[in-house]
């Protein structure tokens, strides 16, 4: 059974259509790349699944349910922006996650924080940009969620940090979970992906396994992406 | 629910607790020094004057910070980037709104209590004779106690009316911010316009009620003529305040639950 399903899902902002009647079905136990250029609808799709946006028409279902408190309990979502209250320190954030998410594993978060020498008593506003990014990722990946939605997790960080982030994702997700990674930096994530979904101007133009793309087109996902989205 | 409220109180305490402590210390200092103002000169008068001014500033700051904090916290925490965190938590929209309103009510009442405590310190210890001050309180309390005993039902209704009026005015701010959010590109301007429009609708409805309801007019007459508020008037106003709160609460809930589009 699909854990992430869109049925004729449409989202309009005024006269602009961000997602246009898309149908998509994703199975658990897969790492899926949601790939497309800026403005293709990647973030809109993830925000609809997180219920931060309301669909204009159509439906999105997580584990068969319309987004709500029950689906939020099973989704671990990493937004593409700073979303943590700046006055809170890492310790308080850990407590907040532990208070609200039954699947949060504090020991895992503590271990990652200490391996990165991030002190728990420093407020978010005093952390460097890269460290904040890591704290956000650690909080997200320290849950035993059914669905992980990571929106641009590697954009804006240096290559060493990218390696760390990918290693963290691979090392911490539940094997039976769906990991949805949205990015336009394909070469960096290609090695970890099982499937790729190409989004273009609000339409899904391709949904295949990474192996299929390589076999059928004789090129890497990154090269194929450049081919499809050539300006 | 309790967890959300804990978060609300944690967030408000950063701003308000230092102000509360400062107000109590400054009121004690003002009470201790106010008697010396008349007799002393020069630097001492200046310092005493400064303490008095600071006390007034902190009391005004408590009122201003409490109001602004309630409005800004809702706007930033739910409609701003922190909304990504808050709306991802597995709680219902109703719980979010209820926790915010309850947190705001607690901070409003605490701010009133702290301001009252500082006034009590000032009036008691700023007097020549503390014993005389306590004698005056005892007298006032006995008169007040008598009044409450004779009008128990009205008193209870007035306490509930006071709470409902606070929550109602908070909810009107929340509803304005929520409706303003529907105007995607200019949410703040939208909130201000929504607040003004709500005010216009309220006053029109009020005049409509006054015009059409004889009973309503009678209730107001009773209130003005008698020394204590009769329970009928208090009950009527309480019912209005509850309906008022529920309407603005529903508007807030409807926008956040059915029309949410976080930027």
């Amino acid at each position: 059974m699909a854990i992430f399903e869109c049925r004729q899902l449409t989202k309009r902002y005024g006269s602009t259509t961000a997602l246009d009647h898309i149908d998509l079905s994703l199975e658990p136990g897969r790492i899926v790349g949601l790939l497309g250029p800026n403005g293709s609808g990647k973030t809109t799709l993830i925000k609809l699944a997180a219920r931060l946006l309301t669909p204009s028409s159509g439906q999105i279902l997580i584990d068969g349910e319309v987004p709500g408190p029950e689906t939020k309990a099973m989704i671990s979502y990493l937004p593409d922006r700073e979303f943590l209250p700046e006055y809170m320190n890492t310790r308080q954030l850990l407590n907040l996650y532990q208070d609200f998410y039954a699947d949060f594993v504090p020991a895992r978060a503590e271990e990652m924080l200490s391996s990165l020498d991030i002190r728990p008593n420093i407020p978010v506003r005093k952390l460097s940009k890269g460290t904040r990014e890591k704290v956000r990722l650690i909080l997200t990946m320290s849950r035993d969620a059914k669905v992980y939605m990571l929106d641009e997790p590697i954009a804006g960080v240096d290559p060493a940090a990218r390696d760390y982030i990918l290693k963290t994702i691979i090392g911490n997700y539940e094997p039976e979970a769906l990991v949805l990674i949205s990015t336009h930096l394909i070469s960096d994530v290609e090695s970890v992906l099982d499937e790729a979904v190409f989004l273009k101007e609000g339409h899904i133009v391709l949904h295949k396994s990474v192996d299929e793309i390589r076999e059928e087109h004789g090129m890497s996902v990154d090269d194929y992406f450049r081919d499809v989205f050539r300006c | 629910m309790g967890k959300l409220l804990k978060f609300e109180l944690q967030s408000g305490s950063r701003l308000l607790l230092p102000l509360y402590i400062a107000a109590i210390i400054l009121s004690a200092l003002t009470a201790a020094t106010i008697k010396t103002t008349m007799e002393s000169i020069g630097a001492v008068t200046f310092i005493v004057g400064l303490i008095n001014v600071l006390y007034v500033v902190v009391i005004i700051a408590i009122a201003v910070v409490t109001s602004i904090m309630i409005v800004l916290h809702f706007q930033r925490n739910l409609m701003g980037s922190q909304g990504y965190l808050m709306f991802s938590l597995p709680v219902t929209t109703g719980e979010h709104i209820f926790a915010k309103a309850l947190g705001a009510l607690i901070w409003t009442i605490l701010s009133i209590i702290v301001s009252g405590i500082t006034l009590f310190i000032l009036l008691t210890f700023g007097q020549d004779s503390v014993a005389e001050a306590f004698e005056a309180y005892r007298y006032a309390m006995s008169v007040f106690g008598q009044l409450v005993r004779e009008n128990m039902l009205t008193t209870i209704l007035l306490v509930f009316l006071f709470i409902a009026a606070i929550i109602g005015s908070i909810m009107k701010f929340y509803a304005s911010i929520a409706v303003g959010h529907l105007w995607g590109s200019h949410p703040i301007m939208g909130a201000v316009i929504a607040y003004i429009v709500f005010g216009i609708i309220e006053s029109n409805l009020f005049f409509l009620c006054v015009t059409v309801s004889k009973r309503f007019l009678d209730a107001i007459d009773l209130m003005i003529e008698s020394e204590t508020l009769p329970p009928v008037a208090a009950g009527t106003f309480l019912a209005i305040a509850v309906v008022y709160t529920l309407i603005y609460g529903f508007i807030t809930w409807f926008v956040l639950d059915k029309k949410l589009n976080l930027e």
Side-chain angles (χ1 to χ4, degrees):
Chain A
M1 184 188 152
I3 194 157
F4 187 109
E5 197 176 0
C6 304
R7 295 177 186 162
Q8 290 292 297
L9 184 67
T10 302
K11 180 64 192 173
R12 288 185 211 92
Y13 300 106
S15 57
T16 313
T17 304
L19 287 177
D20 194 2
H21 296 90
I22 67 160
D23 289 303
L24 179 66
S25 182
L26 302 173
E27 302 291 321
R30 312 284 283 167
I31 301 183
V32 180
L34 191 58
L35 314 174
N38 294 328
S40 55
K42 305 186 297 290
T43 296
T44 298
L45 178 58
I46 286 181
K47 281 167 73 175
L48 282 163
R51 213 189 179 217
L52 301 180
L53 294 177
T54 312
S56 303
S57 66
Q59 228 183 3
I60 186 160
L61 301 171
I62 308 297
D63 206 16
E65 292 189 57
V66 172
E70 296 78 18
T71 64
K72 289 174 184 183
M74 57 176 112
I75 292 177
S76 194
Y77 167 44
L78 178 68
D80 63 342
R81 65 191 64 206
E82 306 258 0
F83 65 96
L84 300 173
E86 293 205 325
Y87 65 87
M88 290 181 91
N89 64 34
T90 316
R91 167 78 51 221
Q92 291 168 323
L93 287 167
L94 253 54
N95 291 339
L96 179 81
Y97 269 64
Q98 198 174 356
D99 275 351
F100 284 97
Y101 296 113
D103 58 7
F104 187 69
V105 187
R108 192 189 300 166
E110 302 262 10
E111 191 189 317
M112 282 194 266
L113 286 169
S114 84
S115 75
L116 285 171
D117 286 330
I118 298 173
R119 282 185 285 154
N121 54 351
I122 299 176
V124 170
R125 67 168 173 275
K126 289 189 178 166
L127 298 174
S128 71
K129 191 168 174 273
T131 310
R132 287 183 202 187
E133 193 121 27
K134 285 171 189 160
V135 169
R136 294 201 292 268
L137 182 77
I138 288 169
L139 289 168
T140 310
M141 297 314 296
S142 295
R143 287 181 55 196
D144 284 339
K146 281 189 172 180
V147 178
Y148 297 86
M149 300 195 302
L150 315 171
D151 196 359
E152 301 283 3
I154 54 170
V157 294
D158 60 79
R162 279 180 198 184
D163 286 347
Y164 173 79
I165 288 169
L166 289 174
K167 209 170 73 191
T168 308
I169 294 170
I170 298 301
N172 291 288
Y173 84 100
E174 280 288 292
E176 286 309 305
L178 165 71
V179 183
L180 192 58
I181 305 176
S182 140
T183 186
H184 57 274
L185 302 166
I186 298 159
S187 58
D188 290 293
V189 297
E190 186 169 343
S191 59
V192 306
L193 297 182
D194 296 316
E195 292 174 27
V197 174
F198 283 13
L199 265 177
K200 188 178 185 181
E201 292 163 2
H203 295 94
I204 291 176
V205 292
L206 175 130
H207 176 198
K208 280 182 181 169
S209 79
V210 169
D211 292 339
E212 274 178 308
I213 293 172
R214 289 189 189 121
E215 278 168 26
E216 288 174 17
H217 303 281
M219 55 178 97
S220 69
V221 178
D222 189 29
D223 288 336
Y224 186 59
F225 180 86
R226 287 167 200 269
D227 203 40
V228 171
F229 293 97
R230 193 184 301 124
C231 297
Chain B
M1 185 60 219
K3 292 165 186 170
L4 276 178
L5 188 62
K6 183 177 121 186
F7 176 79
E8 292 305 315
L9 296 181
Q10 236 179 21
S11 148
S13 62
R14 294 175 306 124
L15 284 172
L16 286 172
L17 286 188
L19 277 178
Y20 291 167
I21 293 166
I24 289 172
I25 292 172
L26 282 167
S27 72
L29 284 174
T30 304
T33 55
I34 203 159
K35 284 172 277 185
T36 64
T37 323
M38 298 300 169
E39 302 142 23
S40 53
I41 44 157
V44 177
T45 311
F46 176 74
I47 292 167
V48 170
L50 191 67
I51 290 169
N52 296 356
V53 169
L54 276 179
Y55 166 70
V56 175
V57 168
V58 169
I59 289 296
I60 294 170
I62 286 179
V64 173
V65 170
T66 306
S67 319
I68 293 178
M69 186 194 82
I70 287 169
V71 175
L72 277 189
H73 181 63
F74 184 86
Q75 203 276 330
R76 286 185 182 162
N77 191 240
L78 289 182
M79 315 315 287
S81 59
Q82 285 174 30
Y84 281 74
L85 172 70
M86 299 311 289
F87 282 117
S88 295
L89 299 175
V91 295
T92 62
T93 309
E95 285 172 322
H96 274 302
I97 297 168
F98 192 67
K100 287 268 181 294
L102 197 57
L105 175 71
I106 290 172
W107 286 120
T108 306
I109 291 177
L110 272 179
S111 292
I112 293 170
I113 290 173
V114 169
S115 304
I117 290 172
T118 65
L119 201 64
F120 171 78
I121 292 172
L122 210 59
L123 291 177
T124 311
F125 300 100
Q127 303 268 353
D128 287 331
S129 162
V130 173
E132 263 178 40
F134 273 103
E135 189 52 44
Y137 291 140
R138 254 194 298 276
Y139 177 70
M141 285 307 287
S142 70
V143 172
F144 185 68
Q146 177 74 17
L147 209 60
V148 168
R149 273 192 297 278
E150 284 169 9
N151 302 282
M152 192 50 91
L153 179 62
T154 311
T155 309
I156 293 168
L157 288 171
L158 283 176
V159 170
F160 280 111
L161 174 62
F162 175 68
I163 293 169
I166 294 174
I167 301 179
S169 54
I170 291 166
M171 211 53 89
K172 185 180 174 185
F173 279 121
Y174 289 175
S176 306
I177 294 168
V179 170
H181 160 82
L182 293 174
W183 192 6
S185 48
H186 301 91
I188 306 287
M189 197 192 287
V192 174
I193 292 172
Y195 192 83
I196 294 168
V197 171
F198 286 152
I200 293 168
I201 295 170
E202 274 173 30
S203 52
N204 279 315
L205 276 177
F206 178 77
F207 283 119
L208 193 71
C209 287
V210 169
T211 318
V212 299
S213 169
K214 174 83 169 60
R215 194 169 288 182
F216 192 78
L217 274 174
D218 289 345
I220 291 176
D221 282 345
L222 272 172
M223 183 188 77
I224 295 164
E225 281 167 13
S226 63
E227 281 180 18
T228 54
L229 284 173
V232 173
T236 308
F237 282 113
L238 174 60
I240 292 171
V242 169
V243 171
Y244 181 94
T245 306
L246 288 176
I247 290 172
Y248 284 121
F250 176 78
I251 294 171
T252 312
W253 174 85
F254 182 77
V255 175
L256 296 192
D257 200 71
K258 306 290 177 206
K259 301 280 172 196
L260 183 70
N261 282 306
L262 216 56
E263 278 286 304

